[in-house]
């Protein structure tokens, strides 16, 4: 019997089977697991329970917020603006946690908390490698306590002599209507956001800024909305002789043209001829970045640029404080119109002369579209009035214009109101807190003077509100807000006076905005 030594030796049955993966039991719960994939002989459930990849990460922290500007502190010294539950605020929260940079962040979101609890909760999902080849994902919550801390910019607003630039706005007129309108333009465009303080002066407002470029931005804004001129001055505060570093305080003086809406203006004859040969006796019907004037007897209009005015300045012949009430006895339209105004010939009499004499005046007016017989109208009484104005005297002595001088210049329709009524709309104000502080710190005699000034300002404010009601173009440049809270007594009083004031113009509710500040105050 022969044997083939080169033939393969047959393997046993056990050796011929395919290799089987090693299966072991979890050392904690006894569940079968794959030994080649197990980490520390633990199953996935036990691995999640026994291994904490978030160890070393803070679960509690503190956020600092400024109550005045509502900004959040981002250490070490920067302050950022962030709305509640915004991605900016979430970034601030995550940067406050120590140890979070060592793990991978998968997800982070806010958990709702009571708005007044001063607590913010964030749920964070992270991933971390627990053992070699084993990655664990885990979610946990972090609670933040919101603490109040005043930012440096707000600290300066409550500290004296911390400003670096000031803008002094002045207008020498006997009323505050221009500044009341300018205040609304500033509020609508947010031009006062960078101010550290706002104070009221005798003839205007003072704006204080921490940086020079912020003041220059305010100067540019004022030049774009009102006719004015500016002057700059600077004062050396300190100087380092070693580095030649100097510190200055800058002051910008802004002077607004002393002419307001509805003022009667006597132009120099030479300037009137340059402006399209308009009549020198004109009425200012609008004030923008230039003066818009009109001849009420011909409806001719012209614009007086700011530079042209300051090259040859002129004063107002009469302002709104000198308006007299007249009664329309007869009115006849001439048919001439420019779209906004309608020319008419009217016979009027002073309201104070009715019953005492029969003096009447004939005039041409631009209000032919809204006036009727028996209406009351406000105007300037020129007949028998002496004006100490060189331009007016030159007009009277002129052969071209002296014979056409009107006796009365009608300005606007007059709506009789018994007293200031409660309105369904309001405008926001600025610098009121500074008035109250000055009133509280003043002496007795000065307090009385300031109370008289406050009463006069209240009258000017009421006149301004009436102008807003009567002028639709003026309303379009402002933000008007709805009044949510009104007393029942005011509502009843308004209903009682509705019959007497039914002809007075009213503002539609569609033109008003929701007052979010008042809504938030009501919710609190």
């Amino acid at each position: 019997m022969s044997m083939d030594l080169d033939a393969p030796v047959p393997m046993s049955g056990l050796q011929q089977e395919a290799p089987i993966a090693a299966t072991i039991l979890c050392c904690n719960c006894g569940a079968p697991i794959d030994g080649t994939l197990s980490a520390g002989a633990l199953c996935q459930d036990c691995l999640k329970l026994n291994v904490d990849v978030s160890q070393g990460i803070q679960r509690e922290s503190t956020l600092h917020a400024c109550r005045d500007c509502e900004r959040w502190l981002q250490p070490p010294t920067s302050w950022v603006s962030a709305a509640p539950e915004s991605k900016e605020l979430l970034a601030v929260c995550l940067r406050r946690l120590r140890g979070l940079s060592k793990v991978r962040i998968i997800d982070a979101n806010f958990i709702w908390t009571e708005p007044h609890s001063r607590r913010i909760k964030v749920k964070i999902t992270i991933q971390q490698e627990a053992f070699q080849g084993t990655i664990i994902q885990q979610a946990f919550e972090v609670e933040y306590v919101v603490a109040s801390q005043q930012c440096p910019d707000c600290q300066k607003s409550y500290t004296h002599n911390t400003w670096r630039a000031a803008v002094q706005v002045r207008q020498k007129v006997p009323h505050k209507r221009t500044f009341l309108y300018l205040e609304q333009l500033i509020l609508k465009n947010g031009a006062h956001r960078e101010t550290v303080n706002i104070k009221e002066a005798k003839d205007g407002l003072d704006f204080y800024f921490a940086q020079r470029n912020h003041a220059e931005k305010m100067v540019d804004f004022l030049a774009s909305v009102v006719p004015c001129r500016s002057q700059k001055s600077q004062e050396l505060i300190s100087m380092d002789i070693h580095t030649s570093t100097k510190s200055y305080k800058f002051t910008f003086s802004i002077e607004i043209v002393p002419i307001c809406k509805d003022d009667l203006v006597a132009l120099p004859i030479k300037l009137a001829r340059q402006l399209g040969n308009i009549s020198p006796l004109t009425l200012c019907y609008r004030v923008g970045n230039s003066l818009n004037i009109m001849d009420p007897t011909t409806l001719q209009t012209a614009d007086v640029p700011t530079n042209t005015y300051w090259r040859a300045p002129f004063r107002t012949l009469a302002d709104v404080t000198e308006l007299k009430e007249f009664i329309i006895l007869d009115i006849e339209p001439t048919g001439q119109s420019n779209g906004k105004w309608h020319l008419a010939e009217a016979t009027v009499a002073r309201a104070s002369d009715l019953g005492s004499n029969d003096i009447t005046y004939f005039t041409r007016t631009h209000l032919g579209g809204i006036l009727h017989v028996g209406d009351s109208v406000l105007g300037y009484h020129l007949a028998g009035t002496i004006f100490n104005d060189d331009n007016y005297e030159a007009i009277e002595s002129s052969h071209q214009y002296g014979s056409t001088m009107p006796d009365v210049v009608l300005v606007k329709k007059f709506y009789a109101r018994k007293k200031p009524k409660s309105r369904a709309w309001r405008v926001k104000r600025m610098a009121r807190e500074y008035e109250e502080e000055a009133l509280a710190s003043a002496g007795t005699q000065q307090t009385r003077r300031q109370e008289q000034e406050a009463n006069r300002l209240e009258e000017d404010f009421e006149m301004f509100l009436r102008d807003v009601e009567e002028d639709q173009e003026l309303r379009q440049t402002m933000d008007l807000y709805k009044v949510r809270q009104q007393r029942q007594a005011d509502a009843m009083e308004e209903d009682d006076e509705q019959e007497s004031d039914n002809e007075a113009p009213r503002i539609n509710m569609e033109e008003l905005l929701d007052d979010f500040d008042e809504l938030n105050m009501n919710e609190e």
Side-chain angles (χ1 to χ4, degrees):
M1 181 177 181
S2 63
M3 298 180 62
D4 189 0
L5 298 178
D6 296 332
V9 179
M11 302 292 294
S12 62
L14 181 60
Q15 290 176 339
Q16 292 178 357
E17 294 180 358
I20 301 176
T23 302
I24 63 174
L25 301 179
C26 176
C27 64
N28 189 23
C29 64
I33 58 176
D34 188 356
T36 61
L37 302 177
S38 63
L42 292 174
C43 63
Q44 292 292 331
D45 296 334
C46 295
L47 192 63
K48 294 180 180 179
L49 293 175
N50 292 275
V51 178
D52 186 8
V53 296
S54 66
Q55 187 176 5
I57 301 177
Q58 290 179 271
R59 300 303 175 94
E60 294 181 354
S61 185
T62 304
L63 295 178
H64 294 88
C66 180
R67 288 181 179 270
D68 297 322
C69 62
E70 297 181 353
R71 293 189 298 174
W72 301 84
L73 175 61
Q74 183 171 305
T77 58
S78 61
W79 291 80
V80 296
S81 299
E85 298 190 2
S86 63
K87 61 180 181 180
E88 292 82 5
L89 181 57
L90 184 60
V92 173
C93 294
L94 296 179
R95 289 193 183 100
R96 294 289 296 172
L97 298 181
R98 292 192 303 267
L100 197 60
S101 59
K102 300 179 181 180
V103 297
R104 181 184 179 186
I105 302 176
I106 300 301
D107 187 23
N109 59 284
F110 288 98
I111 301 176
W112 184 87
T113 56
E114 182 66 29
H116 298 80
S117 64
R118 308 291 292 178
R119 298 291 188 273
I120 295 178
K121 291 185 178 181
V122 179
K123 183 179 180 181
I124 304 175
T125 304
I126 61 174
Q127 282 185 355
Q128 177 70 0
E129 185 178 8
F131 299 98
Q132 184 177 3
T134 303
I135 297 177
I136 297 179
Q137 180 172 314
Q138 188 174 355
F140 60 95
E141 297 180 5
V142 180
E143 181 176 342
Y144 298 87
V145 179
V146 180
S148 298
Q149 180 178 340
Q150 201 172 42
C151 67
D153 294 337
C154 294
Q155 289 176 3
K156 290 182 179 181
S157 65
Y158 288 92
T159 307
H160 298 288
N161 303 322
T162 58
W163 55 273
R164 286 293 175 264
V167 179
Q168 299 176 347
V169 187
R170 299 290 184 270
Q171 186 188 34
K172 297 180 180 179
V173 292
H175 54 81
K176 296 283 188 178
R177 293 169 61 217
T178 301
F179 286 99
L180 292 172
Y181 175 62
L182 183 61
E183 178 183 15
Q184 299 305 316
L185 293 179
I186 292 174
L187 289 172
K188 182 175 182 178
N189 295 275
H192 65 299
R193 293 175 182 172
E194 306 296 340
T195 57
V196 297
N197 202 348
I198 303 175
K199 290 185 178 180
E200 291 201 6
K202 180 181 178 182
D203 295 324
L205 293 172
D206 292 340
F207 300 90
Y208 298 93
F209 299 88
Q211 299 181 18
R212 174 185 173 184
N213 58 340
H214 294 161
E216 293 176 344
K217 185 178 179 181
M218 171 63 80
V219 173
D220 295 338
F221 170 77
L222 294 175
S224 65
V225 295
V226 291
C228 61
R229 64 178 177 179
S230 62
Q231 294 180 351
K232 186 182 75 171
S233 62
Q234 60 186 23
E235 178 185 1
L236 179 63
I237 302 301
S238 62
M239 180 179 66
D240 188 350
I241 60 176
H242 301 286
T243 61
S244 298
T245 302
K246 300 178 182 180
S247 177
Y248 289 94
K249 277 190 175 182
F250 300 90
T251 302
F252 297 87
S253 178
I254 307 296
E255 183 180 359
I256 302 177
V257 171
I259 297 176
C260 303
K261 182 176 178 292
D262 298 334
D263 285 354
L264 186 64
V265 178
L267 299 175
I269 296 179
K270 182 179 179 181
L271 178 61
R273 290 172 179 171
Q274 295 176 356
L275 298 175
N277 201 21
I278 192 174
S279 174
L281 191 65
T282 58
L283 196 66
C284 180
Y285 68 92
R286 184 173 55 194
V287 177
N289 53 8
S290 63
L291 294 177
N292 303 129
I293 57 177
M294 174 192 59
D295 181 10
T297 62
T298 61
L299 301 184
Q300 184 181 356
T301 61
D303 294 344
V304 182
T306 305
N307 296 333
T308 303
Y309 174 84
W310 291 118
R311 281 199 299 265
F314 50 88
R315 300 178 302 171
T316 58
L317 193 63
D319 55 50
V320 292
T321 60
E322 303 176 30
L323 289 172
K324 307 297 182 182
E325 183 181 356
F326 294 87
I327 304 298
I328 301 295
L329 302 179
D330 187 21
I331 187 168
E332 183 69 27
T334 62
Q336 184 177 352
S337 173
N338 63 355
K340 181 178 180 181
W341 299 295
H342 301 270
L343 191 62
E345 297 178 347
T347 303
V348 299
R350 290 190 58 175
S352 58
D353 293 341
L354 294 180
S356 59
N357 55 57
D358 298 332
I359 301 178
T360 59
Y361 304 95
F362 176 80
T363 184
R364 294 167 67 91
T365 178
H366 61 291
L367 304 175
I370 60 175
L371 293 181
H372 303 86
V373 176
D375 288 346
S376 297
V377 60
L378 297 178
Y380 297 108
H381 190 199
L382 305 184
T385 305
I386 300 176
F387 296 100
N388 186 16
D389 188 273
D390 296 336
N391 295 331
Y392 185 74
E393 295 176 359
I395 296 172
E396 283 186 323
S397 59
S398 174
H399 297 287
Q400 181 179 0
Y401 304 106
S403 59
T404 59
M405 293 286 291
D407 294 333
V408 174
V409 177
L410 302 182
V411 178
K412 59 181 179 179
K413 188 175 181 180
F414 177 68
Y415 301 94
R417 296 181 175 93
K418 296 181 180 180
K419 60 180 179 179
K421 62 179 181 179
S422 58
R423 295 177 170 87
W425 58 275
R426 61 184 288 267
V427 294
K428 292 187 177 181
R429 298 300 309 276
M430 184 177 60
R432 294 296 297 178
E433 55 181 341
Y434 307 104
E435 295 175 8
E436 296 171 0
E437 291 178 3
L439 193 64
S441 61
T444 305
Q445 184 176 0
Q446 190 175 0
T447 301
R448 293 177 180 175
R449 188 179 309 143
Q450 291 187 354
E451 288 179 353
Q452 295 176 357
E453 182 70 18
N455 294 334
R456 189 169 67 87
L457 181 60
E458 186 176 354
E459 295 176 359
D460 293 340
F461 185 64
E462 174 63 23
M463 185 183 302
F464 171 72
L465 295 181
R466 294 184 181 183
D467 291 341
V468 173
E469 290 177 337
E470 297 171 6
D471 193 344
Q472 185 177 3
E473 292 184 0
L474 185 65
R475 293 198 299 267
Q476 294 176 354
T477 60
M478 301 165 45
D479 286 339
L480 306 180
Y481 298 89
K482 300 176 183 178
V483 175
R484 294 293 182 181
Q485 293 180 346
Q486 282 189 342
R487 297 180 180 178
Q488 295 181 358
D490 295 339
M492 295 176 60
E493 184 178 355
E494 185 177 355
D495 293 338
D496 295 339
E497 295 181 356
Q498 187 174 3
E499 296 181 359
S500 60
D501 294 348
N502 55 358
E503 295 183 358
R506 298 177 181 273
I507 299 179
N508 298 327
M509 298 299 293
E510 291 79 7
E511 302 181 33
L512 305 179
L513 303 175
D514 291 329
D515 194 344
F516 295 104
D517 294 343
E518 187 173 348
L519 291 175
N520 295 337
M521 185 167 47
N522 295 340
E523 292 178 359
E524 294 178 2

